[in-house]
Amino acid sequence: MYQPYFSADDLPSQKTMQISGVWLSQLEEATKKCFFLTCKRRVRTLLSSCHWYFKVNSGILMLVMVCHDINTYQRIMTTVPYLADKLKLFANQAKISISSPVNQGIPWMINIDEIASGEDASST
């Protein structure tokens, strides 16, 4: 793959890179808070039962969820259409990544565009 040459003057400074990293972390945390508040009470409770966060990678918002037990994993999986609908409020392109407990399920990742609308499917 061709890598164009940039002189040192054309590259961002180390301070600019550090500030960008801080802003990105703040954006991810603010998105997490706002997303949580847009969800129904039952979904908030479900989210609270697992480890979850947002990550922006190459301009794509990703909801990352790590389930600590198989019951939470199964309940999260049934809520995916609802979560995808809520994610569409925050980004045009987003993904959901769900990790099951070790050796108790299949790690799963999908683009929100590939998920059918969940307003009817999930009354959670």
Side-chain angles (χ1 to χ4, degrees):
M1 184 160 102
Y2 174 72
Q3 292 288 338
Y5 172 78
F6 291 108
S7 70
D9 292 339
D10 293 334
L11 297 172
S13 69
Q14 184 64 29
K15 184 168 179 112
T16 300
M17 295 297 290
Q18 289 172 340
I19 291 171
S20 294
V22 169
W23 284 344
L24 188 58
S25 294
Q26 290 175 345
L27 174 65
E28 292 166 349
E29 189 60 31
T31 302
K32 180 180 179 178
K33 289 177 185 175
C34 292
F35 179 80
F36 186 78
L37 293 174
T38 63
C39 291
K40 295 177 184 178
R41 192 169 141 249
R42 289 184 191 170
V43 176
R44 289 181 193 177
T45 302
L46 184 56
L47 288 171
S48 297
S49 67
C50 64
H51 176 69
W52 66 282
Y53 58 94
F54 280 99
K55 190 76 184 153
V56 176
N57 191 359
S58 300
I60 297 175
L61 182 65
M62 183 180 304
L63 170 59
V64 180
M65 305 172 76
V66 180
C67 303
H68 302 294
D69 61 70
I70 196 65
N71 291 333
T72 302
Y73 175 75
Q74 291 169 342
R75 290 176 57 213
I76 288 286
M77 293 301 286
T78 63
T79 313
V80 167
Y82 176 86
L83 297 172
D85 282 345
K86 293 301 176 188
L87 271 176
K88 290 176 183 177
L89 299 173
F90 294 89
N92 294 328
Q93 290 186 355
K95 294 181 180 184
I96 298 174
S97 171
I98 303 172
S99 296
S100 62
V102 178
N103 297 325
Q104 293 186 355
I106 301 168
W108 194 74
M109 184 181 301
I110 192 164
N111 291 320
I112 61 170
D113 293 337
E114 298 173 9
I115 302 169
S117 177
E119 289 301 323
D120 314 328
S122 177
S123 60
T124 316

